Amino acid sequence: MQGEMEDKCGIVGIHAKDSSKDVAPLVYYCLYALQHRGQESAGIASFNQEKGFKHYYGMGLITSVFSDEEIKNLEGNMAIGHVRYSTTGQSKVENSQPFVIDFGDSFIAMAHNGDIVNSDELKKELMDEGFYFRSDSDSEVICYMLKKEHYDNKKNVLEAIEAVCKKLVGSYALTILIDGELYGVRDPMGIKPLAVAKRQDKFILASETVAFDVINAEFVRDIMPGEVVHFKNDEINSHMLESAGKCKLSHCMFEYVYFARPDSTIDGINVYKTRMNIGAQLHKLYPIDADVVIPVPDSSIPAAIGYSRASGIPYGEGLIKNRYVGRTFIMPTQEERELAVRLKLNPIKDAIKGKKIILIDDSIVRGTTSKQLLDLVKEAEPAEIHFLVGCPPVISPCYYGVAMATKKELIAANYNTEEIREQLGIDSLGYITIPALVEAIGMPEEKLCLGCINEDYPTEIPEGLEAETYYKP
Ligand code: AMP
């Protein structure tokens, strides 16, 4: 998208009341639990009044970026962290987060999950005023806007955040270290998730509740759309943006369908339960006579269980995933890419041969994965293949941070279901419908962003804004 990068990422922020405590190790564990939200880079910024500001980041998985030594060096009773998702062509260390501007006696550090659709325009305004940018990141734009409002225009932090958010169009969940305090912000549409938990004298902000579970913190609540929280003493101080409650809520449905971990609960709705419901809804729509229901591991396991329970058809594993295949190695040739699929997934021939199978996957985006996957399954010689998909046809790009693909690449934007079935060479293909998905999530349709499946976006999309494609071996 016009040189900007999209951020479907994981963010964390921790504040401890006791200034002698270091919270970076806890941030590290939270990021570890959010690794599924981004494998390209990871970073932590920490602060304490006496020891000042520290920052460390690098490319790759959290375990390869941080050693014990680096975590120890990140002293401070406040810290924020970030894991970054990969998109094609944006893999560079300058885009790692938290994003930091350090100007001697003060600093701003920010971790951002989301995508600002008018960032080109905002960046241009700042560049005209003499601001210099070192990354392609939207987060850098937000950081400089905040610097301008707080340090140059002398607004207090809350007023500065208000002024910045007024100009932002798009999605953002933010954790910010500014003026030696921790703030959390969630955009007024609530597109990206953000929640808060407590552990002894600490408050923890994180994209998903699974991060709280791993550090044994107690979930307090979701941050409300349009809410700014900051932590002082032992309290959550809350401030609502002027725009809160004045725009359409738009929680991203894809968090429930694919992106979030099933053991997370987002905006009061458990992801695992939603995926089980998706399976039951698929059975209602497509009551197929088959011998076994097989998931594409791991994300489709709950949906396959849901289908199996609703239908009485046994659930069975038919594909085994190699959990040690990283997402970040580069395969330049088609042959190597095919090899990568085989490295990642291998069919259990005995479980498939001669059987009528229902294979369930969470989504079809470009269709390349399904094609390769089904070729593998066919080698195991099933009698019939019925492929069911837990996301309605993705017909339009996401501009709010889920780098799916451009319209040209999206298979369902270019072919109808029958044509796709034919291309995949299977007996039947069934997508969940939008009403059935909405029912499975259990949230009124008006509160969801369904832009990628119905082209009804919650904001204006600037003309010429290009979508990005996610990167996957
Ligand atoms: P494809 O149709 O080849 O684009 O691949 C679709 C598969 O990739 C889905 O079954 C998901 O498991 C996964 N997937 C879908 N959307 C994304 C995304 N935005 N980022 C990463 N993986 C995705």
Side-chain angles (χ1 to χ4, degrees):
M1 46 166 288
Q2 298 183 338
E4 302 301 316
M5 63 171 208
E6 309 210 15
D7 288 287
K8 183 82 182 173
C9 306
I11 62 168
V12 177
I14 301 187
H15 172 282
K17 188 178 166 197
D18 179 350
S19 62
S20 68
K21 286 193 184 141
D22 290 333
V23 297
L26 290 177
V27 171
Y28 173 85
Y29 290 120
C30 289
L31 291 179
Y32 212 149
L34 298 179
Q35 187 79 82
H36 61 287
R37 298 184 70 84
Q39 301 87 40
E40 183 168 283
S41 68
I44 297 177
S46 67
F47 177 75
N48 152 317
Q49 285 297 352
E50 279 116 63
K51 290 168 187 149
F53 174 67
K54 315 254 164 102
H55 181 210
Y56 191 82
Y57 61 87
M59 300 298 284
L61 298 178
I62 180 99
T63 45
S64 58
V65 171
F66 292 98
S67 66
D68 287 356
E69 198 54 34
E70 272 120 19
I71 294 291
K72 241 188 239 136
N73 286 339
L74 288 162
E75 294 162 297
N77 60 318
M78 268 171 263
I80 60 173
H82 189 269
V83 283
R84 195 169 107 73
Y85 170 73
S86 24
T87 54
T88 47
Q90 295 289 352
S91 182
K92 51 184 180 182
V93 76
E94 292 83 356
N95 286 333
S96 304
Q97 294 199 31
F99 197 83
V100 170
I101 31 179
D102 195 343
F103 25 99
D105 51 352
S106 47
F107 71 93
I108 302 174
M110 178 185 292
H112 172 210
N113 172 205
D115 200 12
I116 306 302
V117 299
N118 64 337
S119 65
D120 274 357
E121 187 190 316
L122 297 169
K123 188 170 177 174
K124 191 173 172 307
E125 270 177 35
L126 289 168
M127 284 167 81
D128 290 346
E129 291 171 29
F131 284 88
Y132 168 79
F133 289 84
R134 69 171 164 86
S135 78
D136 315 316
S137 144
D138 289 357
S139 321
E140 187 174 12
V141 179
I142 308 177
C143 252
Y144 279 122
M145 288 170 76
L146 206 50
K147 178 195 177 284
K148 183 178 137 182
E149 298 296 349
H150 180 53
Y151 288 100
D152 306 345
N153 296 347
K154 309 278 182 245
K155 295 195 168 107
N156 71 34
V157 177
L158 281 176
E159 287 165 357
I161 292 176
E162 178 76 62
V164 169
C165 291
K166 225 177 238 164
K167 290 188 165 179
L168 299 178
V169 179
S171 64
Y172 47 96
L174 307 168
T175 52
I176 311 169
L177 284 178
I178 182 169
D179 269 2
E181 288 192 28
L182 172 66
Y183 289 76
V185 184
R186 192 172 181 201
D187 69 65
M189 296 179 289
I191 299 184
K192 300 294 171 195
L194 190 65
V196 62
K198 193 159 195 308
R199 183 189 195 255
Q200 293 140 1
D201 73 332
K202 298 175 196 72
F203 284 109
I204 300 105
L205 288 165
S207 301
E208 284 183 41
T209 58
V210 63
F212 308 145
D213 297 343
V214 296
I215 60 164
N216 217 1
E218 201 180 320
F219 171 77
V220 176
R221 62 178 176 84
D222 290 293
I223 302 303
M224 289 177 276
E227 186 181 17
V228 182
V229 290
H230 68 115
F231 304 98
K232 216 170 181 178
N233 303 322
D234 217 6
E235 281 172 36
I236 304 175
N237 298 279
S238 167
H239 165 90
M240 297 309 286
L241 294 173
E242 267 173 45
S243 51
K246 293 188 189 137
C247 49
K248 180 191 172 297
L249 287 186
S250 305
H251 302 306
C252 168
M253 68 82 190
F254 208 60
E255 290 283 348
Y256 297 104
V257 164
Y258 170 74
F259 211 75
R261 251 176 66 157
D263 41 347
S264 284
T265 294
I266 298 176
D267 291 315
I269 290 173
N270 176 251
V271 176
Y272 187 84
K273 206 168 133 208
T274 297
R275 292 186 189 161
M276 289 262 289
N277 293 343
I278 285 175
Q281 289 290 337
L282 282 171
H283 174 251
K284 246 196 218 170
L285 292 164
Y286 309 103
I288 296 163
D289 171 30
D291 300 314
V292 62
V293 187
I294 296 174
V296 177
D298 288 321
S299 48
S300 307
I301 292 172
I305 295 174
Y307 191 105
S308 164
R309 288 196 188 159
S311 63
I313 300 171
Y315 166 91
E317 287 190 71
L319 292 161
I320 297 299
K321 184 169 173 178
N322 182 337
R323 299 209 156 78
Y324 306 97
V325 178
R327 285 203 187 179
T328 41
F329 62 106
I330 299 156
M331 281 142 304
T333 69
Q334 182 61 24
E335 203 178 318
E336 281 172 294
R337 278 194 289 272
E338 273 165 27
L339 187 139
V341 176
R342 283 168 192 275
L343 260 183
K344 205 166 180 177
L345 278 181
N346 196 33
I348 308 173
K349 297 199 174 66
D350 277 356
I352 293 177
K353 194 171 167 139
K355 302 218 166 94
K356 290 192 261 182
I357 67 164
I358 294 173
L359 188 65
I360 302 200
D361 204 355
D362 57 82
S363 57
I364 301 178
V365 179
R366 296 164 299 192
T368 37
T369 309
S370 321
K371 180 97 189 58
Q372 291 161 336
L373 174 83
L374 287 161
D375 285 348
L376 282 184
V377 171
K378 282 180 218 163
E379 284 173 24
E381 299 174 21
E384 286 173 23
I385 307 176
H386 303 275
F387 192 40
L388 300 181
V389 188
C391 180
V394 177
I395 52 165
S396 205
C398 173
Y399 297 101
Y400 306 111
V402 183
M404 281 181 153
T406 60
K407 192 140 189 159
K408 216 165 64 202
E409 294 166 307
L410 292 169
I411 191 165
N414 297 287
Y415 300 96
N416 66 31
T417 304
E418 176 50 22
E419 287 165 338
I420 299 170
R421 184 202 64 76
E422 215 169 274
Q423 287 178 27
L424 295 175
I426 50 179
D427 299 279
S428 75
L429 168 65
Y431 287 92
I432 198 167
T433 59
I434 294 179
L437 174 65
V438 170
E439 201 173 322
I441 297 173
M443 195 184 278
E445 186 169 340
E446 315 79 77
K447 291 189 179 174
L448 290 165
C449 176
L450 305 173
C452 60
I453 52 176
N454 69 3
E455 293 189 270
D456 185 4
Y457 295 108
T459 67
E460 292 274 309
I461 305 296
E463 215 177 300
L465 187 65
E466 277 169 36
E468 257 198 289
T469 305
Y470 68 89
Y471 177 73
K472 194 177 186 184

